[in-house]
Amino acid sequence: MNNFTYSIPTKIYFGKGQISHLSELAESGSNVLLVYGGGSIKKSGIYDTAMKILKDAGLSVFELCGVEPNPRIESVRKGVEICRENNVDMVLCIGGGSVIDCGKVVAAGVCSEEDPWELVLHPRKIRGALPIYSVLTLSATGSEMDKFAVISDLEKNEKWGTASDHMKPKMSILDPEYTFSVPKRQTAAGTADIISHIFENYFTNVKAADVQARFAEGLLKTCFHYGPIALENPEDYDARANLMWTSSMAINGLISDGAEVAWSVHPMEHELSAFYDITHGEGLAILTPHWMKFALNEQTAYKFAEYGRNVWGIVSDDDMKVSKEAIQRTKDFFRDMGLPQTLSEVGIDRTYFGIMAEKAAAGSRGAFVELKKEDILCIFENALN
């Protein structure tokens, strides 16, 4: 296990009715930027509830609405402008990971003289951020409890992740009931995103990081158990609650700190989203089994077999046999969740494979199995049909 420093400054209020704690935003000032997406929070009533609490607490609210599922740099710039024009003291994000990611970079952008895109490309330039608060409405990215954000510039066909401890939320409200209305497609895609976060951390070359590995396996089993239940019964509180907490635990450092590794599938999927603006979790579900098959060899079989035995309960002394069955079960799970199985299903062809593979290879240096451009081209080809 590597040396590490672990810190999660985010205060979490988990459970029913916890939105009442929005009154605590008054601790950070009097002007708040409310960031949200396409308006679902108004249909569900969350918007009205939040606005009443904020106004009763004496806060003035300014709004950045319409944040995209793959949040765009134009929305970030607009948010920074609103904050500066109105002396905003803090940022409140109500929505899923895309909304929170946008709000994070807005908060950092206000505290920098750089264009926000520079902060995406060069995280070291992030020297501060306004206090960030969130109310989560979709279990997927874990952005409610981590330092990461992913922003797109579709004019350049670029989608990049950035990260800074300054962007860890000050407080997040996690009420599983707010995810009851999430459609089946987004529930499935969100579950795939959570699973992918766990995999990206689990498949590490760091030896003897057993605590992190056992945590990761428990989180994976939780997803495989509760994902189908949430699809079948969207208002099953226990299913929604377990998925919500798993999404936070998957990427808040619990399973990665001390077992650090560069990611493989996310850099590839970010290229798909940058060129085709597809749903992130669906892209991950398509690519993950193909990455697993490519990465499996005599040197790596021990880790895939560990996954197969500890998560799926596969009994065999043959590491390669266990590994192949575990990969097939993973693929079958995504299929049974109704997720697409091929790139062609989501409208992707070979047109940009070359440039996507080259950029993804640069983003996966230091991964469990380091991928070159030609390796990623092979994975894309295998995932095409």
Side-chain angles (χ1 to χ4, degrees):
M1 190 187 301
N2 295 335
N3 295 347
F4 65 95
T5 300
Y6 187 59
S7 173
I8 303 179
T10 307
K11 180 186 288 187
I12 297 293
Y13 288 112
F14 192 101
K16 302 175 183 179
Q18 298 283 26
I19 197 170
S20 62
H21 290 282
L22 283 183
S23 60
E24 295 179 18
L25 270 67
E27 298 171 1
S28 295
S30 57
N31 294 334
V32 56
L33 177 70
L34 173 59
V35 183
Y36 59 99
S40 62
I41 67 167
K42 291 187 175 180
K43 295 177 185 176
S44 65
I46 300 174
Y47 175 88
D48 289 339
T49 301
M51 289 296 286
K52 183 178 188 309
I53 295 169
L54 295 172
K55 291 188 175 180
D56 286 349
L59 292 161
S60 297
V61 181
F62 304 89
E63 298 187 19
L64 174 65
C65 61
V67 173
E68 307 82 3
N70 285 310
R72 301 178 187 177
I73 192 61
E74 291 84 359
S75 294
V76 174
R77 291 185 180 121
K78 183 178 178 182
V80 171
E81 183 180 346
I82 294 171
C83 288
R84 287 177 174 162
E85 288 177 351
N86 298 282
N87 296 314
V88 164
D89 302 304
M90 74 209 81
V91 176
L92 169 62
C93 312
I94 303 182
S98 296
V99 168
I100 301 172
D101 284 3
C102 180
K104 285 179 173 180
V105 184
V106 168
V110 176
C111 298
S112 173
E113 295 181 359
E114 300 277 0
D115 179 77
W117 189 242
E118 279 294 301
L119 304 183
V120 175
L121 297 178
H122 306 288
R124 68 182 182 279
K125 293 185 177 182
I126 300 174
R127 302 296 175 85
L130 297 180
I132 301 160
Y133 298 84
S134 79
V135 178
L136 188 64
T137 63
L138 174 65
S139 303
T141 72
S143 195
E144 67 279 357
M145 201 178 179
D146 69 22
K147 62 181 180 180
F148 303 105
V150 180
I151 304 294
S152 299
D153 186 338
L154 295 185
E155 290 185 1
K156 301 175 183 176
N157 297 120
E158 293 190 358
K159 179 178 180 178
W160 296 106
T162 189
S164 170
D165 284 339
H166 296 295
M167 296 196 307
K168 290 181 178 178
K170 180 180 175 70
M171 180 183 85
S172 289
I173 291 167
L174 280 59
D175 185 339
E177 291 188 331
Y178 288 169
T179 65
F180 283 1
S181 61
V182 174
K184 284 191 173 184
R185 179 184 175 189
Q186 293 302 325
T187 297
T191 303
D193 196 5
I194 300 168
I195 291 169
S196 183
H197 291 161
I198 303 168
F199 280 150
E200 299 275 33
N201 291 315
Y202 180 72
F203 287 98
T204 176
N205 293 308
V206 176
K207 302 299 183 183
D210 291 339
V211 174
Q212 293 91 325
R214 302 294 84 77
F215 271 129
E217 290 159 0
L219 295 173
L220 286 168
K221 291 171 77 170
T222 300
C223 290
F224 293 141
H225 177 72
Y226 282 110
I229 295 174
L231 278 190
E232 182 68 24
N233 183 4
E235 296 189 6
D236 186 302
Y237 183 87
D238 290 335
R240 293 294 193 180
N242 277 280
L243 289 174
M244 180 171 269
W245 195 229
T246 300
S247 76
S248 299
M249 295 295 104
I251 196 172
N252 67 1
L254 180 73
I255 61 174
S256 60
D257 288 6
E260 293 82 0
V261 63
W263 290 11
S264 298
V265 181
H266 272 72
M268 288 189 284
E269 199 292 320
H270 284 172
E271 295 308 315
L272 302 183
S273 295
F275 280 86
Y276 294 93
D277 201 22
I278 67 169
T279 299
H280 178 55
E282 292 185 345
L284 294 171
I286 294 167
L287 292 175
T288 295
H290 292 285
W291 169 79
M292 287 179 155
K293 288 179 182 179
F294 186 90
L296 177 61
N297 55 48
E298 292 297 334
Q299 288 71 47
T300 63
Y302 77 94
K303 189 65 178 179
F304 286 100
E306 185 178 89
Y307 161 59
R309 293 185 180 109
N310 293 346
V311 175
W312 291 107
I314 301 169
V315 179
S316 172
D317 292 331
D318 187 331
D319 281 359
M320 192 61 71
K321 179 181 178 181
V322 174
S323 298
K324 289 179 178 178
E325 184 173 344
I327 293 170
Q328 186 59 49
R329 291 197 189 187
T330 307
K331 183 177 178 63
D332 292 345
F333 174 83
F334 290 141
R335 180 202 63 207
D336 293 344
M337 290 285 284
L339 290 158
Q341 299 290 288
T342 66
L343 295 179
S344 60
E345 287 180 62
V346 293
I348 295 175
D349 58 25
R350 294 187 178 89
T351 303
Y352 302 109
F353 273 9
I355 187 170
M356 290 194 299
E358 186 171 346
K359 291 166 72 175
S364 64
R365 293 192 183 104
F368 179 62
V369 173
E370 196 156 304
L371 303 174
K372 299 176 182 176
K373 176 182 177 180
E374 53 268 29
D375 300 327
I376 295 173
L377 278 171
C378 181
I379 292 171
F380 284 161
E381 284 288 343
N382 291 337
L384 186 58
N385 294 300

